[in-house]
């Protein structure tokens, strides 16, 4: 039973489903705060379809994934390692990807934010987020004028953007939808 | 080609490129190193663009390839055929129908929209490379936002020639942080880089990927007393009469007679199809057929 | 009326058909077989394997046939094929101490345990065209007639062949090499990053262009970073490749490959941190490719200036970025040949700029003359 839950739920047509899921992930990153569908993965709970899809498209043996809080279960570990071949990170500073709820991922400073020479060597946080919280006004690359969107908090994201070009990039997943917040986005409270 | 994966590259390689693309979008103008693969076409012939396209294409996409603005140049045809075979995607020569446009040296004249992706083939991604050949040095300059060398070079141009002597691959400042090479597009195209489409840049041989999300601030470097000038030949297109498009100069006889025609073949044909005819032009054949 | 040139697609197809015809040559002449290339052009096959970074003599022979004998083109075919292959795992480091040597020479000692084995070499041949080869159909040389006793005997693992440099090492006369447990970076899976470590440098050089590496090595001999090399040892032969199978929990032999290994012994008068002693350069290449292996050892030695506390003389062979960024002939040939592609747009923008600058310069001259 447990094995069946681990072995199932990947993309049915790996290369084509991955291409579609990546397009959603890329559109989200290129349009901060805007919502996109990311479907095709059927992971064990409480991992969402969108978060699982992101890991299927992006994670592999070269990108340690750190699981936090309620997402750090045997079943989810088994599912992710079977479908992506990733080596799970044992400490936050190794993580290429970190997965969990907002509270479980805090404090943000524990995740790698890149270096001045290589700002790309930074973690991407995949946050399971029900879409509530404070309404923020976003502006910057990818946004024509401004984009309003609900974030779990404001200050941590404003501080993250202040480190630019260093910093973390975020995906907020809710069911089969995803929004992104790259470090380049300016975040203000309304 | 059925022995190869969808869009040629294996999934492992696509994942690596996709991660680089997302970081590139998150840090506009910064060159992300990636482990470029040998492709079945030579380095320098668009392998960076091809790898980016391969990692980005979905089965539903409509793919267009231009080289020097034209769909029918030999290398554009070769790349278009490659993806017709390996990804079985639809193709088009119409800028507005395409969802992904791979380009070498031009930005289409027709304004791109949200939902479209422009993939550039880049030979030398480092804008500082011809001023400083060492990667360790240029990387440090970007880290420290130390662009003095570039400003000195542009200033010396003005002192010597009275103008900045760079006609293509004219450097830009992205979102007030990174100096970026726009690839060898004519400087006429630079102002178009603030656009609604996603722009992805792939340099295969040099192993770099960079990107511009839509509406990113892109400013061509200049000086207050010598503002950037995106000028082009002051002629209308001889075929379609357009006065707003970038023109190729064509020598038409042994006496060296010149004519000027749109470098963007789709733009020129579309204009002629809607009745815009220049001094030497006719309506495209399809109209009569 | 002007009609733009069309028909690029038809032109490409026609060019490819023509190429296929030219590749075959006259149909009156028998077609080359892959086996003929593999057996009779073995050194070409070796170079394609070495720089293609893929050990497969049949595929290398196929690539040479398809490329009409253009070895860089053949290397390109192999590289483009190689990059699509799945990775099943990594082998254990090969034990060149246990190489079954068909050739093994030292320039530093007249004789040493293991002996000098000349092997199948061009050395000492007189480079006179052998017109007898033009008359085909001569009887083949008797198999094994050249190989010394015991050298090629199959079956039992070859005994350990002592290393010349070990004799120097025992007396403390040569700088010691320390084993490094770290997995070397993989140039084909990660972007090249500077500064590189020695493992990465060696990897880049071993698949680098033979001509380029030879030129770099030669430049050190002529004084651009001179380091007085002797061929401490050059060996060529067969080693077995072993891989750890996780499911089994032990390693098994997965096949044999031929390698050329060269260790140079270089004079070193000492530095602030190191006493006077000999130092080493190292070369290891697929197949019988000894010009490349020796060149590699010289370039490796030149690139070690920092580690050995030498001065940087500012010469090309000491410059890691210069050597590594320009040694790959597939990158080089692609970028070089891409200037054949149309550049009308760039050229047009340059043309306009030149005209504009000229017009302005002329206007300024006229104004000066008027004043
Ligand atoms: Zn026109």
């Amino acid at each position: 039973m447990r094995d069946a839950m681990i072995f199932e739920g990947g993309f049915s047509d790996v290369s084509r489903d991955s291409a579609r899921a990546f397009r959603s992930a890329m559109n989200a990153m290129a349009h901060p705060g805007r919502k996109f569908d990311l479907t095709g993965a059927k992971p064990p709970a409480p991992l969402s379809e969108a978060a699982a899809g992101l890991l299927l498209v992006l994670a592999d043996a070269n990108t340690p994934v750190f699981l936090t809080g309620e997402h750090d279960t045997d079943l989810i570990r088994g599912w992710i390692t079977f479908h992506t071949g990733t080596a799970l990170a044992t400490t936050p500073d190794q993580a290429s990807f970190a997965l969990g709820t907002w509270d479980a991922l805090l404090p943000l400073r524990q995740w790698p934010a890149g270096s001045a020479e290589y700002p790309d060597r930074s973690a991407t946080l995949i946050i399971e987020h029900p879409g509530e919280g404070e309404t923020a006004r976003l502006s910057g690359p990818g946004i024509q004028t401004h984009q309003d969107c609900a974030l779990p908090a404001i200050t941590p994201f404003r501080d993250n953007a202040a480190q630019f070009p260093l910093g973390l990039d975020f995906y907020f997943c809710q069911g089969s939808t995803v929004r992104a917040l790259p470090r380049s986005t300016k975040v203000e409270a309304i | 080609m059925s022995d190869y994966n969808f869009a040629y590259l294996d999934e492992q390689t696509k994942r690596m490129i996709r991660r680089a693309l997302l970081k590139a979008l998150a840090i506009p103008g910064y060159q992300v190193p990636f482990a470029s693969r040998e492709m079945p076409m030579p380095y320098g012939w668009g392998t960076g663009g091809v790898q980016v396209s391969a990692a980005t294409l979905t089965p539903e996409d409509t793919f267009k390839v231009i080289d020097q603005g034209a769909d029918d140049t030999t290398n554009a045809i070769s790349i278009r055929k490659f993806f017709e075979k390996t990804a079985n995607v639809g193709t088009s020569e119409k800028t507005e129908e395409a969802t992904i446009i791979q380009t070498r040296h031009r930005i289409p004249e027709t304004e791109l929209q949200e939902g479209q992706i422009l993939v550039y083939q880049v030979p030398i991604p480092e804008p500082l490379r011809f001023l400083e050949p060492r990667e360790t040095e240029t990387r440090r300059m970007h880290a420290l936002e130390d662009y003095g060398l570039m400003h000195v070079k542009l200033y010396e141009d003005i002192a010597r020639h009275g103008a900045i002597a760079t006609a293509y691959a004219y450097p830009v400042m992205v979102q007030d942080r990174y100096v970026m090479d726009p690839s060898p597009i004519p400087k006429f195209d630079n102002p178009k880089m603030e656009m609604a489409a996603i722009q992805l840049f792939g340099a295969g041989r040099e192993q770099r990927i960079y990107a511009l999300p839509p509406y990113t601030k892109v400013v061509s470097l200049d000086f207050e007393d010598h503002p950037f000038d995106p000028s082009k030949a002051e002629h209308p297109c001889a075929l379609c009469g357009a006065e707003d498009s970038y023109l190729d100069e064509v020598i038409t006889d042994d006496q060296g007679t010149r004519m000027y025609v749109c470098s963007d073949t789709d733009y020129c044909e579309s204009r002629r199809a809607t009745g815009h005819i220049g001094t030497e032009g006719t309506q495209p054949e399809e109209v009569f057929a | 009326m002007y009609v733009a040139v069309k028909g690029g697609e038809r032109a490409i197809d026609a060019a490819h058909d023509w190429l296929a015809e030219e590749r075959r040559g006259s149909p009156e002449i028998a077609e080359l077989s892959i086996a003929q290339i593999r057996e009779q052009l073995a050194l070409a096959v070796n170079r394609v394997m070495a720089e293609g970074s893929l050990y497969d003599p049949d595929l290398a022979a196929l690539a040479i046939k398809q490329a009409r004998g253009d070895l860089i083109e053949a290397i390109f075919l192999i590289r483009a094929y190689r990059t699509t292959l799945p990775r099943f795992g990594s082998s254990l480091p090969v034990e060149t101490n246990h190489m079954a040597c068909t050739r093994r020479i030292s320039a530093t000692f007249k004789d040493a345990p293991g002996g000098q084995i000349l092997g199948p070499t061009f050395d000492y041949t007189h480079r006179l065209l052998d017109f007898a080869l033009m008359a085909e159909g001569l009887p083949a040389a008797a198999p094994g007639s050249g190989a010394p006793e015991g050298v090629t005997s199959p079956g039992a693992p070859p005994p350990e062949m002592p290393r010349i440099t070990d004799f120097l090492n025992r007396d403390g006369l040569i700088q010691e090499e320390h084993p490094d447990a770290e997995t070397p970076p993989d140039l084909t899976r990660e972007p090249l990053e500077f500064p590189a470590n020695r493992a990465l440098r060696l990897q880049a050089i071993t698949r680098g262009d033979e001509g380029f590496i030879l030129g770099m090595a030669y430049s050190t001999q002529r004084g651009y970073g001179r380091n007085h090399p002797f061929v401490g040892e050059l060996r060529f032969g067969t080693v077995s490749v072993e891989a750890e199978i996780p499911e089994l929990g032990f390693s098994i032999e997965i096949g044999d490959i031929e390698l050329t290994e060269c260790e140079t012994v270089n004079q070193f008068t000492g530095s602030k941190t190191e006493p006077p002693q000999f130092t080493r350069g190292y070369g290891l290449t697929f197949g019988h490719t000894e010009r490349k292996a020796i060149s590699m050892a010289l370039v490796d030695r030149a690139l070690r200036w920092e580690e050995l506390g030498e001065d940087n003389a500012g010469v090309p062979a000491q410059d890691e970025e210069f050597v590594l960024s320009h040694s790959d002939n597939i990158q080089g040939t692609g970028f070089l040949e891409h200037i054949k592609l149309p550049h009308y747009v760039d050229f047009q923008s340059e043309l306009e700029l030149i005209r504009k600058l000229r017009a302005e310069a002329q206007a300024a001259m006229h104004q000066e003359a008027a004043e």
Side-chain angles (χ1 to χ4, degrees):
Chain A
M1 176 60 197
R2 180 183 166 274
D3 281 358
M5 289 176 79
I6 285 175
F7 298 146
E8 279 163 24
F11 287 141
S12 51
D13 178 347
V14 173
S15 61
R16 287 167 185 80
D17 290 348
S18 297
R20 295 181 183 108
F22 174 68
R23 180 62 59 83
S24 301
M26 182 169 79
N27 277 333
M29 196 57 88
H31 298 278
R34 215 188 274 186
K35 198 176 266 189
F36 291 88
D37 289 327
L38 201 159
T39 59
K42 297 280 174 281
L47 188 54
S48 68
E49 183 172 352
L54 283 173
L55 290 171
L56 290 181
V57 178
L58 300 174
D60 60 29
N62 299 319
T63 57
V65 177
F66 194 97
L67 305 178
T68 64
E70 65 191 65
H71 289 81
D72 190 12
T73 68
D74 278 350
L75 205 54
I76 292 180
R77 282 171 173 267
W79 191 85
I80 291 176
T81 46
F82 175 75
H83 289 282
T84 70
T86 184
L88 292 167
T90 49
T91 58
D93 63 325
Q94 305 168 335
S96 296
F97 296 98
L99 173 70
T101 60
W102 171 244
D103 290 336
L105 289 161
L106 294 175
L108 294 186
R109 67 169 180 278
Q110 67 186 318
W111 310 108
S115 65
E117 268 85 13
Y118 294 96
D120 56 306
R121 295 181 183 172
S122 54
T124 300
L125 269 51
I126 299 174
I127 305 169
E128 302 276 18
H129 179 59
E132 298 146 2
E134 302 183 52
T135 306
R137 176 150 292 181
L138 312 181
S139 58
I143 302 168
Q144 190 166 17
T145 53
H146 61 82
Q147 167 85 36
D148 291 347
C149 123
L151 294 179
I154 303 261
T155 315
F157 298 107
R158 203 162 52 197
D159 294 348
N160 182 60
Q163 300 182 68
F164 187 87
L166 275 58
L168 309 172
D169 306 304
F170 304 91
Y171 277 109
F172 299 99
C173 300
Q174 186 185 2
S176 62
T177 66
V178 66
R179 289 175 298 144
L181 186 69
R183 66 192 80 178
S184 59
T185 302
K186 204 171 143 203
V187 181
E188 291 166 299
I190 303 184
Chain B
M1 293 297 263
S2 56
D3 294 345
Y4 289 101
N5 196 18
F6 171 74
Y8 180 77
L9 293 175
D10 57 286
E11 290 306 303
Q12 168 75 35
T13 300
K14 285 188 209 162
R15 248 194 294 274
M16 178 269 297
I17 296 171
R18 286 167 176 162
R19 288 194 297 261
L21 286 168
L22 294 179
K23 287 296 172 195
L25 283 163
I27 318 167
Y30 166 74
Q31 303 162 51
V32 182
F34 84 110
S36 175
R37 300 289 192 255
E38 281 94 354
M39 297 299 289
M41 59 278 287
Y43 283 121
W45 297 55
T47 56
V50 166
Q51 289 179 79
V52 168
S53 291
T56 305
L57 273 171
T58 69
E60 292 74 38
D61 274 311
T62 303
F63 191 54
K64 168 180 164 89
V65 189
I66 50 173
D67 186 343
Q68 316 292 301
D71 297 87
D72 59 354
T73 38
T74 42
N75 201 42
I77 292 166
S78 153
I79 291 170
R80 188 167 62 231
K81 277 179 129 180
F82 177 72
F83 283 113
E84 276 175 355
K85 261 191 221 162
T86 59
N88 198 26
V89 287
T91 58
S92 175
E93 297 193 3
K94 297 252 166 285
T95 298
E96 63 271 17
E97 283 175 6
T99 51
I100 300 188
I101 301 171
Q102 183 171 326
T103 180
R104 178 169 170 264
H105 298 188
R106 275 312 310 278
I107 296 175
E109 305 291 359
T110 305
E111 192 179 339
L112 299 184
Q113 306 299 320
E114 278 197 16
Q116 290 186 299
I117 298 167
L118 185 59
V119 176
Y120 294 78
Q121 303 173 196
V122 182
I124 303 276
E126 178 50 71
L128 307 169
R129 184 61 69 233
F130 297 117
L131 307 172
E132 168 53 63
R134 255 161 237 286
E135 161 70 13
T136 38
E137 277 301 306
T138 53
R139 184 163 289 282
R140 188 192 57 78
M141 291 177 192
H142 285 294
L144 299 176
E145 214 175 334
D146 173 6
Y147 297 124
L149 205 57
M150 179 63 90
H151 287 106
V152 168
K153 189 257 170 199
L154 297 178
Y155 194 78
E156 280 176 356
D157 271 8
I158 293 171
R160 192 171 310 153
H161 310 291
I164 292 172
T166 300
Y168 63 93
Y170 189 103
V172 295
M173 171 65 84
V174 175
Q175 205 69 30
D176 303 316
R177 177 57 183 81
Y178 284 104
V179 168
M180 187 189 95
D181 179 86
S183 89
I185 57 173
K187 64 179 178 173
F188 172 81
D189 282 341
N190 274 25
K192 296 184 204 163
M193 297 185 93
E194 286 188 353
M195 64 165 73
I198 296 173
Q199 297 171 79
L200 307 175
F201 299 79
R205 190 179 38 77
E206 297 278 337
Q207 309 191 309
R208 296 291 182 275
I209 280 172
Y210 52 105
L212 296 171
Y215 315 114
T216 300
K217 185 176 170 194
V218 182
V219 178
S220 301
L221 298 182
D222 63 359
F223 295 94
E224 243 169 54
D225 49 345
H226 280 92
F228 173 73
D229 166 26
S231 65
K232 54 140 195 145
E234 289 192 11
H235 301 271
C237 169
L239 300 181
C240 76
E243 306 211 8
D244 57 354
S245 68
Y246 193 78
L247 304 171
D248 284 340
E249 184 172 327
V250 185
I251 301 173
T252 52
D253 59 30
D254 294 352
Q255 282 70 52
T257 308
R258 307 285 212 270
M259 68 183 280
Y260 292 86
V261 297
C262 293
S263 107
D264 184 335
T265 50
D266 169 55
Y267 184 71
C268 198
E269 266 170 45
S270 309
R271 280 180 53 85
R272 279 180 283 144
T274 51
H276 299 275
I277 309 295
T279 52
E280 306 283 328
T282 56
Q283 285 201 323
E285 283 164 39
E286 301 89 78
V287 178
F288 301 110
Chain C
M1 192 190 85
Y2 169 76
V3 182
V5 184
K6 288 263 181 187
E9 199 154 350
R10 279 203 316 275
I12 293 177
D13 288 341
H16 291 174
D17 291 344
W18 197 349
L19 174 69
E21 212 177 300
E22 286 291 313
R23 186 196 61 68
R24 177 60 183 85
S26 166
E28 320 263 293
I29 308 294
E31 189 182 346
L32 263 177
S33 73
I34 299 303
Q36 282 172 332
I37 296 171
R38 187 192 62 224
E39 296 300 319
Q40 297 175 39
L41 297 176
L43 297 187
V45 167
N46 284 342
R47 180 172 173 196
V48 170
M49 293 196 302
E51 293 171 37
S53 303
L54 184 73
Y55 197 95
D56 190 321
D58 285 316
L59 287 182
L62 167 62
I64 290 167
K65 177 174 176 173
Q66 188 179 331
R68 307 177 61 199
D70 179 337
L71 295 191
I72 291 183
E73 182 67 26
I75 291 160
F76 184 15
L77 288 168
I78 290 297
R79 291 266 196 99
Y81 175 74
R82 176 194 192 276
T83 196
T84 65
L85 299 176
R87 305 286 169 113
F88 296 118
S90 305
S91 74
L92 298 173
V94 291
E95 287 291 347
T96 51
N97 285 351
H98 288 277
M99 180 184 279
C101 293
T102 42
R103 173 163 166 76
R104 190 257 197 169
I105 55 164
S106 170
T108 50
F109 294 100
K110 186 165 187 210
D111 206 357
Q116 304 259 19
I117 306 168
L118 218 45
T121 176
F122 290 122
D123 297 351
Y124 318 112
T125 61
H126 293 141
R127 266 61 171 209
L128 302 170
L129 278 176
D130 181 0
F131 291 102
L133 287 175
M134 270 186 114
E136 288 158 27
L138 293 177
S145 61
E149 296 271 317
V151 166
T152 53
S153 70
E160 182 150 351
M161 175 67 90
R163 268 170 204 289
I164 301 293
T165 48
D166 284 350
F167 298 113
L168 292 169
N169 201 21
R170 221 172 286 161
D171 301 333
L173 291 173
I174 193 162
Q175 143 266 335
E176 203 159 352
E177 298 285 7
H178 302 282
D180 185 353
E182 208 180 309
T183 306
D186 184 345
L187 187 63
T188 68
R189 312 302 278 182
E190 292 151 38
L192 183 59
E193 190 184 308
F194 296 111
N197 61 22
R198 190 175 177 212
L200 190 62
R201 290 198 306 248
L202 289 170
Q203 212 175 106
I205 303 170
T206 195
R207 64 192 238 131
D209 182 75
E210 181 172 312
F212 178 85
I213 304 300
L214 169 65
M216 283 290 121
Y218 179 44
S219 74
T220 68
Q221 290 184 288
R222 286 196 65 259
Y224 288 82
R226 183 139 193 246
N227 54 42
H228 308 269
F230 302 99
V231 171
E233 181 170 348
L234 176 73
R235 55 172 72 179
F236 158 67
T238 308
V239 297
S240 62
V241 179
E242 291 184 27
E244 201 106 47
I245 308 295
E247 284 78 8
L248 298 178
F250 53 87
S251 69
I252 58 162
E253 202 180 305
I254 55 173
D256 287 337
I257 60 173
E258 289 185 327
L259 293 175
T260 307
E261 185 185 50
C262 176
E263 245 188 322
T264 55
V265 174
N266 302 67
Q267 198 190 83
F268 184 60
T269 50
S271 69
K272 279 171 227 125
T273 51
E274 304 287 330
Q277 59 182 341
F278 292 109
T279 55
R280 312 175 196 231
Y282 186 75
L284 183 72
T285 50
F286 276 162
H288 193 182
T289 40
E290 64 183 66
R291 183 188 302 119
K292 173 73 174 290
I294 301 168
S295 302
M296 179 177 172
L298 264 62
V299 175
D300 169 50
R301 175 60 189 78
L303 289 170
R304 299 181 73 187
W305 64 273
E306 200 166 14
E307 167 197 347
L308 297 169
E310 288 176 328
D311 290 335
N312 184 344
V315 301
Q318 281 181 320
D319 187 332
E320 171 182 287
E321 281 208 29
F322 183 84
V323 174
L324 267 52
S325 301
H326 304 112
S327 58
D328 191 287
N329 53 25
I330 303 309
Q331 291 176 354
T333 210
F335 198 49
L336 181 105
E337 297 195 16
H338 107 283
I339 62 176
K340 292 184 285 191
L341 289 176
H343 282 80
Y344 345 116
V345 166
D346 316 4
F347 184 71
Q348 184 65 33
S349 54
E350 289 276 278
L351 202 58
E352 281 156 24
L353 183 71
I354 295 280
R355 283 182 183 142
K356 195 174 151 208
L357 293 177
R358 282 173 66 97
E360 280 165 13
Q362 247 156 17
M365 261 160 58
H366 286 151
Q367 199 172 348
E368 251 172 59
E371 276 166 8

